[in-house]
PDB file of all heavy atoms in Angstrom:
ATOM      1  N   ASN A   1      -6.396 -11.587   7.709  1.00 92.00           N
ATOM      2  CA  ASN A   1      -7.160 -12.403   6.773  1.00 92.00           C
ATOM      3  C   ASN A   1      -8.661 -12.249   6.976  1.00 92.00           C
ATOM      4  O   ASN A   1      -9.432 -12.233   6.019  1.00 92.00           O
ATOM      5  CB  ASN A   1      -6.762 -13.864   6.923  1.00 92.00           C
ATOM      6  CG  ASN A   1      -5.309 -14.109   6.544  1.00 92.00           C
ATOM      7  OD1 ASN A   1      -4.717 -13.330   5.793  1.00 92.00           O
ATOM      8  ND2 ASN A   1      -4.730 -15.170   7.073  1.00 92.00           N
ATOM      9  N   ALA A   2      -9.072 -12.128   8.222  1.00 94.00           N
ATOM     10  CA  ALA A   2     -10.503 -12.042   8.522  1.00 94.00           C
ATOM     11  C   ALA A   2     -11.103 -10.739   7.993  1.00 94.00           C
ATOM     12  O   ALA A   2     -12.282 -10.694   7.634  1.00 94.00           O
ATOM     13  CB  ALA A   2     -10.722 -12.156  10.016  1.00 94.00           C
ATOM     14  N   LYS A   3     -10.284  -9.688   7.957  1.00 95.00           N
ATOM     15  CA  LYS A   3     -10.767  -8.387   7.502  1.00 95.00           C
ATOM     16  C   LYS A   3     -10.412  -8.101   6.052  1.00 95.00           C
ATOM     17  O   LYS A   3     -10.740  -7.041   5.532  1.00 95.00           O
ATOM     18  CB  LYS A   3     -10.208  -7.284   8.393  1.00 95.00           C
ATOM     19  CG  LYS A   3     -10.684  -7.346   9.836  1.00 95.00           C
ATOM     20  CD  LYS A   3     -10.124  -6.194  10.653  1.00 95.00           C
ATOM     21  CE  LYS A   3     -10.639  -6.246  12.084  1.00 95.00           C
ATOM     22  NZ  LYS A   3     -10.100  -5.127  12.914  1.00 95.00           N
ATOM     23  N   ASN A   4      -9.712  -9.033   5.412  1.00 95.00           N
ATOM     24  CA  ASN A   4      -9.260  -8.817   4.024  1.00 95.00           C
ATOM     25  C   ASN A   4      -8.545  -7.474   3.895  1.00 95.00           C
ATOM     26  O   ASN A   4      -8.820  -6.682   2.978  1.00 95.00           O
ATOM     27  CB  ASN A   4     -10.436  -8.885   3.047  1.00 95.00           C
ATOM     28  CG  ASN A   4     -11.017 -10.278   2.971  1.00 95.00           C
ATOM     29  OD1 ASN A   4     -10.302 -11.267   3.064  1.00 95.00           O
ATOM     30  ND2 ASN A   4     -12.333 -10.356   2.829  1.00 95.00           N
ATOM     31  N   THR A   5      -7.642  -7.238   4.808  1.00 96.00           N
ATOM     32  CA  THR A   5      -6.967  -5.947   4.893  1.00 96.00           C
ATOM     33  C   THR A   5      -5.464  -6.160   5.023  1.00 96.00           C
ATOM     34  O   THR A   5      -5.021  -7.060   5.740  1.00 96.00           O
ATOM     35  CB  THR A   5      -7.488  -5.142   6.087  1.00 96.00           C
ATOM     36  OG1 THR A   5      -8.891  -4.905   5.924  1.00 96.00           O
ATOM     37  CG2 THR A   5      -6.774  -3.805   6.207  1.00 96.00           C
ATOM     38  N   VAL A   6      -4.726  -5.323   4.324  1.00 97.00           N
ATOM     39  CA  VAL A   6      -3.273  -5.323   4.444  1.00 97.00           C
ATOM     40  C   VAL A   6      -2.858  -3.989   5.074  1.00 97.00           C
ATOM     41  O   VAL A   6      -3.481  -2.957   4.812  1.00 97.00           O
ATOM     42  CB  VAL A   6      -2.592  -5.538   3.070  1.00 97.00           C
ATOM     43  CG1 VAL A   6      -2.962  -4.452   2.080  1.00 97.00           C
ATOM     44  CG2 VAL A   6      -1.086  -5.650   3.220  1.00 97.00           C
ATOM     45  N   TYR A   7      -1.841  -4.039   5.906  1.00 98.00           N
ATOM     46  CA  TYR A   7      -1.407  -2.874   6.653  1.00 98.00           C
ATOM     47  C   TYR A   7       0.056  -2.534   6.349  1.00 98.00           C
ATOM     48  O   TYR A   7       0.834  -3.394   5.941  1.00 98.00           O
ATOM     49  CB  TYR A   7      -1.543  -3.123   8.157  1.00 98.00           C
ATOM     50  CG  TYR A   7      -2.921  -3.487   8.607  1.00 98.00           C
ATOM     51  CD1 TYR A   7      -3.265  -4.818   8.823  1.00 98.00           C
ATOM     52  CD2 TYR A   7      -3.885  -2.509   8.827  1.00 98.00           C
ATOM     53  CE1 TYR A   7      -4.540  -5.164   9.244  1.00 98.00           C
ATOM     54  CE2 TYR A   7      -5.164  -2.839   9.263  1.00 98.00           C
ATOM     55  CZ  TYR A   7      -5.487  -4.168   9.465  1.00 98.00           C
ATOM     56  OH  TYR A   7      -6.750  -4.504   9.877  1.00 98.00           O
ATOM     57  N   LEU A   8       0.385  -1.295   6.601  1.00 98.00           N
ATOM     58  CA  LEU A   8       1.777  -0.875   6.578  1.00 98.00           C
ATOM     59  C   LEU A   8       2.014  -0.027   7.817  1.00 98.00           C
ATOM     60  O   LEU A   8       1.518   1.102   7.914  1.00 98.00           O
ATOM     61  CB  LEU A   8       2.111  -0.073   5.320  1.00 98.00           C
ATOM     62  CG  LEU A   8       3.587   0.308   5.181  1.00 98.00           C
ATOM     63  CD1 LEU A   8       4.440  -0.945   4.936  1.00 98.00           C
ATOM     64  CD2 LEU A   8       3.805   1.309   4.043  1.00 98.00           C
ATOM     65  N   GLN A   9       2.723  -0.610   8.784  1.00 98.00           N
ATOM     66  CA  GLN A   9       3.093   0.124   9.988  1.00 98.00           C
ATOM     67  C   GLN A   9       4.395   0.847   9.712  1.00 98.00           C
ATOM     68  O   GLN A   9       5.391   0.226   9.346  1.00 98.00           O
ATOM     69  CB  GLN A   9       3.267  -0.833  11.162  1.00 98.00           C
ATOM     70  CG  GLN A   9       3.738  -0.160  12.440  1.00 98.00           C
ATOM     71  CD  GLN A   9       2.696   0.768  13.024  1.00 98.00           C
ATOM     72  OE1 GLN A   9       1.524   0.417  13.139  1.00 98.00           O
ATOM     73  NE2 GLN A   9       3.108   1.973  13.397  1.00 98.00           N
ATOM     74  N   MET A  10       4.361   2.155   9.879  1.00 98.00           N
ATOM     75  CA  MET A  10       5.537   2.980   9.576  1.00 98.00           C
ATOM     76  C   MET A  10       5.999   3.670  10.853  1.00 98.00           C
ATOM     77  O   MET A  10       5.255   4.461  11.443  1.00 98.00           O
ATOM     78  CB  MET A  10       5.188   4.025   8.509  1.00 98.00           C
ATOM     79  CG  MET A  10       4.606   3.420   7.238  1.00 98.00           C
ATOM     80  SD  MET A  10       4.308   4.634   5.931  1.00 98.00           S
ATOM     81  CE  MET A  10       3.001   5.593   6.689  1.00 98.00           C
ATOM     82  N   ASN A  11       7.207   3.349  11.269  1.00 98.00           N
ATOM     83  CA  ASN A  11       7.795   3.937  12.474  1.00 98.00           C
ATOM     84  C   ASN A  11       9.034   4.750  12.104  1.00 98.00           C
ATOM     85  O   ASN A  11       9.590   4.602  11.019  1.00 98.00           O
ATOM     86  CB  ASN A  11       8.172   2.839  13.464  1.00 98.00           C
ATOM     87  CG  ASN A  11       6.985   2.034  13.926  1.00 98.00           C
ATOM     88  OD1 ASN A  11       5.867   2.534  14.041  1.00 98.00           O
ATOM     89  ND2 ASN A  11       7.214   0.751  14.187  1.00 98.00           N
ATOM     90  N   SER A  12       9.447   5.582  13.029  1.00 98.00           N
ATOM     91  CA  SER A  12      10.658   6.395  12.844  1.00 98.00           C
ATOM     92  C   SER A  12      10.630   7.109  11.500  1.00 98.00           C
ATOM     93  O   SER A  12      11.603   7.082  10.732  1.00 98.00           O
ATOM     94  CB  SER A  12      11.912   5.511  12.953  1.00 98.00           C
ATOM     95  OG  SER A  12      11.953   4.853  14.191  1.00 98.00           O
ATOM     96  N   LEU A  13       9.535   7.754  11.231  1.00 98.00           N
ATOM     97  CA  LEU A  13       9.356   8.379   9.924  1.00 98.00           C
ATOM     98  C   LEU A  13      10.320   9.530   9.709  1.00 98.00           C
ATOM     99  O   LEU A  13      10.668  10.269  10.647  1.00 98.00           O
ATOM    100  CB  LEU A  13       7.912   8.855   9.771  1.00 98.00           C
ATOM    101  CG  LEU A  13       6.916   7.730   9.464  1.00 98.00           C
ATOM    102  CD1 LEU A  13       5.496   8.153   9.777  1.00 98.00           C
ATOM    103  CD2 LEU A  13       7.038   7.304   8.010  1.00 98.00           C
ATOM    104  N   LYS A  14      10.748   9.652   8.461  1.00 97.00           N
ATOM    105  CA  LYS A  14      11.690  10.683   8.051  1.00 97.00           C
ATOM    106  C   LYS A  14      11.034  11.574   6.992  1.00 97.00           C
ATOM    107  O   LYS A  14      10.061  11.165   6.342  1.00 97.00           O
ATOM    108  CB  LYS A  14      12.948  10.040   7.466  1.00 97.00           C
ATOM    109  CG  LYS A  14      13.627   9.022   8.366  1.00 97.00           C
ATOM    110  CD  LYS A  14      14.785   8.352   7.645  1.00 97.00           C
ATOM    111  CE  LYS A  14      15.456   7.309   8.517  1.00 97.00           C
ATOM    112  NZ  LYS A  14      16.599   6.651   7.813  1.00 97.00           N
ATOM    113  N   SER A  15      11.607  12.726   6.785  1.00 96.00           N
ATOM    114  CA  SER A  15      11.037  13.644   5.796  1.00 96.00           C
ATOM    115  C   SER A  15      11.034  13.014   4.403  1.00 96.00           C
ATOM    116  O   SER A  15      10.119  13.252   3.604  1.00 96.00           O
ATOM    117  CB  SER A  15      11.813  14.958   5.783  1.00 96.00           C
ATOM    118  OG  SER A  15      13.185  14.725   5.522  1.00 96.00           O
ATOM    119  N   GLU A  16      12.019  12.177   4.141  1.00 96.00           N
ATOM    120  CA  GLU A  16      12.092  11.535   2.825  1.00 96.00           C
ATOM    121  C   GLU A  16      11.041  10.452   2.621  1.00 96.00           C
ATOM    122  O   GLU A  16      10.926   9.900   1.530  1.00 96.00           O
ATOM    123  CB  GLU A  16      13.488  10.958   2.563  1.00 96.00           C
ATOM    124  CG  GLU A  16      14.028  10.079   3.658  1.00 96.00           C
ATOM    125  CD  GLU A  16      14.958  10.829   4.599  1.00 96.00           C
ATOM    126  OE1 GLU A  16      14.613  11.976   5.004  1.00 96.00           O
ATOM    127  OE2 GLU A  16      16.012  10.273   4.947  1.00 96.00           O
ATOM    128  N   ASP A  17      10.285  10.142   3.654  1.00 98.00           N
ATOM    129  CA  ASP A  17       9.166   9.208   3.507  1.00 98.00           C
ATOM    130  C   ASP A  17       7.915   9.912   2.992  1.00 98.00           C
ATOM    131  O   ASP A  17       6.913   9.258   2.691  1.00 98.00           O
ATOM    132  CB  ASP A  17       8.838   8.540   4.843  1.00 98.00           C
ATOM    133  CG  ASP A  17       9.964   7.658   5.349  1.00 98.00           C
ATOM    134  OD1 ASP A  17      10.554   6.914   4.527  1.00 98.00           O
ATOM    135  OD2 ASP A  17      10.254   7.702   6.556  1.00 98.00           O
ATOM    136  N   THR A  18       7.962  11.218   2.896  1.00 98.00           N
ATOM    137  CA  THR A  18       6.825  11.966   2.388  1.00 98.00           C
ATOM    138  C   THR A  18       6.522  11.567   0.951  1.00 98.00           C
ATOM    139  O   THR A  18       7.402  11.610   0.087  1.00 98.00           O
ATOM    140  CB  THR A  18       7.102  13.481   2.454  1.00 98.00           C
ATOM    141  OG1 THR A  18       7.217  13.881   3.817  1.00 98.00           O
ATOM    142  CG2 THR A  18       5.987  14.268   1.786  1.00 98.00           C
ATOM    143  N   ALA A  19       5.283  11.149   0.712  1.00 98.00           N
ATOM    144  CA  ALA A  19       4.889  10.666  -0.610  1.00 98.00           C
ATOM    145  C   ALA A  19       3.409  10.291  -0.585  1.00 98.00           C
ATOM    146  O   ALA A  19       2.786  10.261   0.481  1.00 98.00           O
ATOM    147  CB  ALA A  19       5.708   9.437  -1.004  1.00 98.00           C
ATOM    148  N   VAL A  20       2.890   9.997  -1.755  1.00 98.00           N
ATOM    149  CA  VAL A  20       1.581   9.358  -1.852  1.00 98.00           C
ATOM    150  C   VAL A  20       1.830   7.852  -1.834  1.00 98.00           C
ATOM    151  O   VAL A  20       2.639   7.342  -2.619  1.00 98.00           O
ATOM    152  CB  VAL A  20       0.824   9.766  -3.126  1.00 98.00           C
ATOM    153  CG1 VAL A  20      -0.502   9.018  -3.209  1.00 98.00           C
ATOM    154  CG2 VAL A  20       0.606  11.274  -3.151  1.00 98.00           C
ATOM    155  N   TYR A  21       1.160   7.179  -0.949  1.00 98.00           N
ATOM    156  CA  TYR A  21       1.329   5.736  -0.790  1.00 98.00           C
ATOM    157  C   TYR A  21       0.146   5.020  -1.440  1.00 98.00           C
ATOM    158  O   TYR A  21      -1.012   5.367  -1.193  1.00 98.00           O
ATOM    159  CB  TYR A  21       1.426   5.371   0.690  1.00 98.00           C
ATOM    160  CG  TYR A  21       2.771   5.713   1.276  1.00 98.00           C
ATOM    161  CD1 TYR A  21       3.146   7.042   1.478  1.00 98.00           C
ATOM    162  CD2 TYR A  21       3.677   4.712   1.622  1.00 98.00           C
ATOM    163  CE1 TYR A  21       4.383   7.353   1.994  1.00 98.00           C
ATOM    164  CE2 TYR A  21       4.927   5.024   2.152  1.00 98.00           C
ATOM    165  CZ  TYR A  21       5.276   6.352   2.322  1.00 98.00           C
ATOM    166  OH  TYR A  21       6.510   6.666   2.834  1.00 98.00           O
ATOM    167  N   TYR A  22       0.484   4.016  -2.250  1.00 98.00           N
ATOM    168  CA  TYR A  22      -0.518   3.264  -3.000  1.00 98.00           C
ATOM    169  C   TYR A  22      -0.514   1.805  -2.584  1.00 98.00           C
ATOM    170  O   TYR A  22       0.541   1.168  -2.522  1.00 98.00           O
ATOM    171  CB  TYR A  22      -0.236   3.329  -4.501  1.00 98.00           C
ATOM    172  CG  TYR A  22      -0.318   4.711  -5.094  1.00 98.00           C
ATOM    173  CD1 TYR A  22       0.810   5.519  -5.158  1.00 98.00           C
ATOM    174  CD2 TYR A  22      -1.522   5.200  -5.592  1.00 98.00           C
ATOM    175  CE1 TYR A  22       0.746   6.794  -5.703  1.00 98.00           C
ATOM    176  CE2 TYR A  22      -1.600   6.464  -6.138  1.00 98.00           C
ATOM    177  CZ  TYR A  22      -0.465   7.261  -6.193  1.00 98.00           C
ATOM    178  OH  TYR A  22      -0.539   8.513  -6.735  1.00 98.00           O
ATOM    179  N   CYS A  23      -1.686   1.309  -2.341  1.00 98.00           N
ATOM    180  CA  CYS A  23      -1.856  -0.119  -2.124  1.00 98.00           C
ATOM    181  C   CYS A  23      -1.870  -0.815  -3.486  1.00 98.00           C
ATOM    182  O   CYS A  23      -2.437  -0.289  -4.461  1.00 98.00           O
ATOM    183  CB  CYS A  23      -3.170  -0.368  -1.394  1.00 98.00           C
ATOM    184  SG  CYS A  23      -3.512  -2.103  -1.026  1.00 98.00           S
ATOM    185  N   HIS A  24      -1.271  -1.985  -3.540  1.00 97.00           N
ATOM    186  CA  HIS A  24      -1.162  -2.718  -4.803  1.00 97.00           C
ATOM    187  C   HIS A  24      -1.352  -4.203  -4.530  1.00 97.00           C
ATOM    188  O   HIS A  24      -0.798  -4.739  -3.568  1.00 97.00           O
ATOM    189  CB  HIS A  24       0.230  -2.482  -5.410  1.00 97.00           C
ATOM    190  CG  HIS A  24       0.558  -3.359  -6.564  1.00 97.00           C
ATOM    191  ND1 HIS A  24       1.380  -4.462  -6.449  1.00 97.00           N
ATOM    192  CD2 HIS A  24       0.189  -3.303  -7.871  1.00 97.00           C
ATOM    193  CE1 HIS A  24       1.499  -5.046  -7.633  1.00 97.00           C
ATOM    194  NE2 HIS A  24       0.796  -4.361  -8.507  1.00 97.00           N
ATOM    195  N   VAL A  25      -2.143  -4.846  -5.370  1.00 97.00           N
ATOM    196  CA  VAL A  25      -2.291  -6.301  -5.265  1.00 97.00           C
ATOM    197  C   VAL A  25      -2.201  -6.917  -6.653  1.00 97.00           C
ATOM    198  O   VAL A  25      -2.467  -6.256  -7.658  1.00 97.00           O
ATOM    199  CB  VAL A  25      -3.619  -6.724  -4.591  1.00 97.00           C
ATOM    200  CG1 VAL A  25      -3.754  -6.109  -3.209  1.00 97.00           C
ATOM    201  CG2 VAL A  25      -4.819  -6.387  -5.456  1.00 97.00           C
ATOM    202  N   VAL A  26      -1.827  -8.167  -6.682  1.00 96.00           N
ATOM    203  CA  VAL A  26      -1.767  -8.935  -7.912  1.00 96.00           C
ATOM    204  C   VAL A  26      -2.666 -10.144  -7.748  1.00 96.00           C
ATOM    205  O   VAL A  26      -2.515 -10.907  -6.773  1.00 96.00           O
ATOM    206  CB  VAL A  26      -0.331  -9.387  -8.231  1.00 96.00           C
ATOM    207  CG1 VAL A  26      -0.321 -10.203  -9.528  1.00 96.00           C
ATOM    208  CG2 VAL A  26       0.606  -8.201  -8.337  1.00 96.00           C
ATOM    209  N   VAL A  27      -3.589 -10.296  -8.673  1.00 95.00           N
ATOM    210  CA  VAL A  27      -4.498 -11.443  -8.660  1.00 95.00           C
ATOM    211  C   VAL A  27      -4.448 -12.076 -10.044  1.00 95.00           C
ATOM    212  O   VAL A  27      -4.839 -11.441 -11.026  1.00 95.00           O
ATOM    213  CB  VAL A  27      -5.934 -11.016  -8.320  1.00 95.00           C
ATOM    214  CG1 VAL A  27      -6.861 -12.239  -8.327  1.00 95.00           C
ATOM    215  CG2 VAL A  27      -5.982 -10.309  -6.970  1.00 95.00           C
ATOM    216  N   HIS A  28      -3.958 -13.278 -10.103  1.00 92.00           N
ATOM    217  CA  HIS A  28      -3.839 -13.999 -11.382  1.00 92.00           C
ATOM    218  C   HIS A  28      -3.123 -13.136 -12.425  1.00 92.00           C
ATOM    219  O   HIS A  28      -3.624 -12.957 -13.550  1.00 92.00           O
ATOM    220  CB  HIS A  28      -5.226 -14.420 -11.881  1.00 92.00           C
ATOM    221  CG  HIS A  28      -5.951 -15.325 -10.921  1.00 92.00           C
ATOM    222  ND1 HIS A  28      -5.332 -16.340 -10.239  1.00 92.00           N
ATOM    223  CD2 HIS A  28      -7.244 -15.340 -10.522  1.00 92.00           C
ATOM    224  CE1 HIS A  28      -6.204 -16.949  -9.457  1.00 92.00           C
ATOM    225  NE2 HIS A  28      -7.384 -16.360  -9.605  1.00 92.00           N
ATOM    226  N   TRP A  29      -1.991 -12.589 -12.036  1.00 93.00           N
ATOM    227  CA  TRP A  29      -1.113 -11.809 -12.903  1.00 93.00           C
ATOM    228  C   TRP A  29      -1.703 -10.476 -13.334  1.00 93.00           C
ATOM    229  O   TRP A  29      -1.163  -9.807 -14.226  1.00 93.00           O
ATOM    230  CB  TRP A  29      -0.722 -12.609 -14.160  1.00 93.00           C
ATOM    231  CG  TRP A  29      -0.059 -13.889 -13.813  1.00 93.00           C
ATOM    232  CD1 TRP A  29       1.238 -14.082 -13.413  1.00 93.00           C
ATOM    233  CD2 TRP A  29      -0.667 -15.190 -13.806  1.00 93.00           C
ATOM    234  NE1 TRP A  29       1.459 -15.407 -13.157  1.00 93.00           N
ATOM    235  CE2 TRP A  29       0.317 -16.117 -13.389  1.00 93.00           C
ATOM    236  CE3 TRP A  29      -1.955 -15.651 -14.097  1.00 93.00           C
ATOM    237  CZ2 TRP A  29       0.056 -17.479 -13.266  1.00 93.00           C
ATOM    238  CZ3 TRP A  29      -2.206 -17.003 -13.979  1.00 93.00           C
ATOM    239  CH2 TRP A  29      -1.212 -17.899 -13.573  1.00 93.00           C
ATOM    240  N   VAL A  30      -2.777 -10.038 -12.717  1.00 95.00           N
ATOM    241  CA  VAL A  30      -3.378  -8.734 -13.011  1.00 95.00           C
ATOM    242  C   VAL A  30      -3.114  -7.797 -11.838  1.00 95.00           C
ATOM    243  O   VAL A  30      -3.313  -8.185 -10.676  1.00 95.00           O
ATOM    244  CB  VAL A  30      -4.894  -8.854 -13.262  1.00 95.00           C
ATOM    245  CG1 VAL A  30      -5.501  -7.470 -13.511  1.00 95.00           C
ATOM    246  CG2 VAL A  30      -5.168  -9.778 -14.437  1.00 95.00           C
ATOM    247  N   ASP A  31      -2.655  -6.576 -12.164  1.00 96.00           N
ATOM    248  CA  ASP A  31      -2.349  -5.592 -11.132  1.00 96.00           C
ATOM    249  C   ASP A  31      -3.568  -4.718 -10.824  1.00 96.00           C
ATOM    250  O   ASP A  31      -4.281  -4.286 -11.738  1.00 96.00           O
ATOM    251  CB  ASP A  31      -1.212  -4.673 -11.602  1.00 96.00           C
ATOM    252  CG  ASP A  31       0.087  -5.408 -11.776  1.00 96.00           C
ATOM    253  OD1 ASP A  31       0.781  -5.601 -10.762  1.00 96.00           O
ATOM    254  OD2 ASP A  31       0.387  -5.797 -12.923  1.00 96.00           O
ATOM    255  N   TYR A  32      -3.744  -4.439  -9.541  1.00 96.00           N
ATOM    256  CA  TYR A  32      -4.788  -3.516  -9.092  1.00 96.00           C
ATOM    257  C   TYR A  32      -4.159  -2.505  -8.144  1.00 96.00           C
ATOM    258  O   TYR A  32      -3.283  -2.861  -7.340  1.00 96.00           O
ATOM    259  CB  TYR A  32      -5.913  -4.271  -8.383  1.00 96.00           C
ATOM    260  CG  TYR A  32      -6.631  -5.261  -9.264  1.00 96.00           C
ATOM    261  CD1 TYR A  32      -6.214  -6.586  -9.334  1.00 96.00           C
ATOM    262  CD2 TYR A  32      -7.722  -4.866 -10.036  1.00 96.00           C
ATOM    263  CE1 TYR A  32      -6.857  -7.497 -10.155  1.00 96.00           C
ATOM    264  CE2 TYR A  32      -8.382  -5.778 -10.849  1.00 96.00           C
ATOM    265  CZ  TYR A  32      -7.942  -7.089 -10.909  1.00 96.00           C
ATOM    266  OH  TYR A  32      -8.590  -7.980 -11.724  1.00 96.00           O
ATOM    267  N   TRP A  33      -4.658  -1.262  -8.246  1.00 97.00           N
ATOM    268  CA  TRP A  33      -4.101  -0.177  -7.440  1.00 97.00           C
ATOM    269  C   TRP A  33      -5.190   0.549  -6.664  1.00 97.00           C
ATOM    270  O   TRP A  33      -6.316   0.707  -7.146  1.00 97.00           O
ATOM    271  CB  TRP A  33      -3.402   0.839  -8.355  1.00 97.00           C
ATOM    272  CG  TRP A  33      -2.197   0.294  -9.051  1.00 97.00           C
ATOM    273  CD1 TRP A  33      -2.149  -0.319 -10.272  1.00 97.00           C
ATOM    274  CD2 TRP A  33      -0.856   0.305  -8.570  1.00 97.00           C
ATOM    275  NE1 TRP A  33      -0.858  -0.678 -10.576  1.00 97.00           N
ATOM    276  CE2 TRP A  33      -0.046  -0.308  -9.549  1.00 97.00           C
ATOM    277  CE3 TRP A  33      -0.251   0.794  -7.407  1.00 97.00           C
ATOM    278  CZ2 TRP A  33       1.339  -0.463  -9.384  1.00 97.00           C
ATOM    279  CZ3 TRP A  33       1.114   0.637  -7.263  1.00 97.00           C
ATOM    280  CH2 TRP A  33       1.890   0.021  -8.246  1.00 97.00           C
ATOM    281  N   GLY A  34      -4.807   1.007  -5.484  1.00 96.00           N
ATOM    282  CA  GLY A  34      -5.679   1.872  -4.728  1.00 96.00           C
ATOM    283  C   GLY A  34      -5.558   3.301  -5.234  1.00 96.00           C
ATOM    284  O   GLY A  34      -4.760   3.603  -6.120  1.00 96.00           O
ATOM    285  N   GLN A  35      -6.339   4.183  -4.633  1.00 96.00           N
ATOM    286  CA  GLN A  35      -6.371   5.565  -5.086  1.00 96.00           C
ATOM    287  C   GLN A  35      -5.225   6.392  -4.516  1.00 96.00           C
ATOM    288  O   GLN A  35      -4.950   7.482  -5.016  1.00 96.00           O
ATOM    289  CB  GLN A  35      -7.716   6.216  -4.698  1.00 96.00           C
ATOM    290  CG  GLN A  35      -7.826   6.668  -3.246  1.00 96.00           C
ATOM    291  CD  GLN A  35      -8.075   5.526  -2.266  1.00 96.00           C
ATOM    292  OE1 GLN A  35      -8.171   4.363  -2.645  1.00 96.00           O
ATOM    293  NE2 GLN A  35      -8.190   5.886  -0.994  1.00 96.00           N
ATOM    294  N   GLY A  36      -4.562   5.874  -3.529  1.00 96.00           N
ATOM    295  CA  GLY A  36      -3.429   6.575  -2.922  1.00 96.00           C
ATOM    296  C   GLY A  36      -3.829   7.358  -1.689  1.00 96.00           C
ATOM    297  O   GLY A  36      -4.950   7.874  -1.594  1.00 96.00           O
ATOM    298  N   THR A  37      -2.903   7.427  -0.753  1.00 97.00           N
ATOM    299  CA  THR A  37      -3.118   8.205   0.457  1.00 97.00           C
ATOM    300  C   THR A  37      -1.843   8.990   0.755  1.00 97.00           C
ATOM    301  O   THR A  37      -0.741   8.457   0.673  1.00 97.00           O
ATOM    302  CB  THR A  37      -3.523   7.312   1.643  1.00 97.00           C
ATOM    303  OG1 THR A  37      -3.832   8.127   2.784  1.00 97.00           O
ATOM    304  CG2 THR A  37      -2.438   6.315   2.017  1.00 97.00           C
ATOM    305  N   GLN A  38      -2.007  10.262   1.079  1.00 98.00           N
ATOM    306  CA  GLN A  38      -0.859  11.132   1.278  1.00 98.00           C
ATOM    307  C   GLN A  38      -0.270  10.947   2.674  1.00 98.00           C
ATOM    308  O   GLN A  38      -1.001  10.956   3.674  1.00 98.00           O
ATOM    309  CB  GLN A  38      -1.271  12.596   1.095  1.00 98.00           C
ATOM    310  CG  GLN A  38      -0.161  13.604   1.357  1.00 98.00           C
ATOM    311  CD  GLN A  38       0.913  13.583   0.284  1.00 98.00           C
ATOM    312  OE1 GLN A  38       0.614  13.563  -0.911  1.00 98.00           O
ATOM    313  NE2 GLN A  38       2.182  13.595   0.707  1.00 98.00           N
ATOM    314  N   VAL A  39       1.041  10.810   2.707  1.00 98.00           N
ATOM    315  CA  VAL A  39       1.789  10.804   3.965  1.00 98.00           C
ATOM    316  C   VAL A  39       2.784  11.956   3.903  1.00 98.00           C
ATOM    317  O   VAL A  39       3.593  12.028   2.981  1.00 98.00           O
ATOM    318  CB  VAL A  39       2.531   9.469   4.174  1.00 98.00           C
ATOM    319  CG1 VAL A  39       3.467   9.563   5.380  1.00 98.00           C
ATOM    320  CG2 VAL A  39       1.542   8.328   4.347  1.00 98.00           C
TER     321      VAL A  39
END
């Protein structure tokens, strides 16, 4: 909360987890997306 940051800890990764990962938030029913990061 102090950093206004959300995290995703990913362990035991598999080949099928390969993808572009997007952060997503909803504020007052409006969707916002990040630019994506490749994993």
Side-chain angles (χ1 to χ4, degrees):
N1 296 337
K3 295 182 178 180
N4 293 325
T5 299
V6 60
Y7 303 99
L8 184 68
Q9 176 68 47
M10 305 184 293
N11 298 328
S12 302
L13 283 161
K14 306 175 181 180
S15 57
E16 51 263 45
D17 295 317
T18 295
V20 177
Y21 284 71
Y22 297 91
C23 181
H24 170 258
V25 303
V26 179
V27 180
H28 300 319
W29 302 282
V30 178
D31 295 277
Y32 298 91
W33 294 90
Q35 79 283 0
T37 185
Q38 177 71 46
V39 172

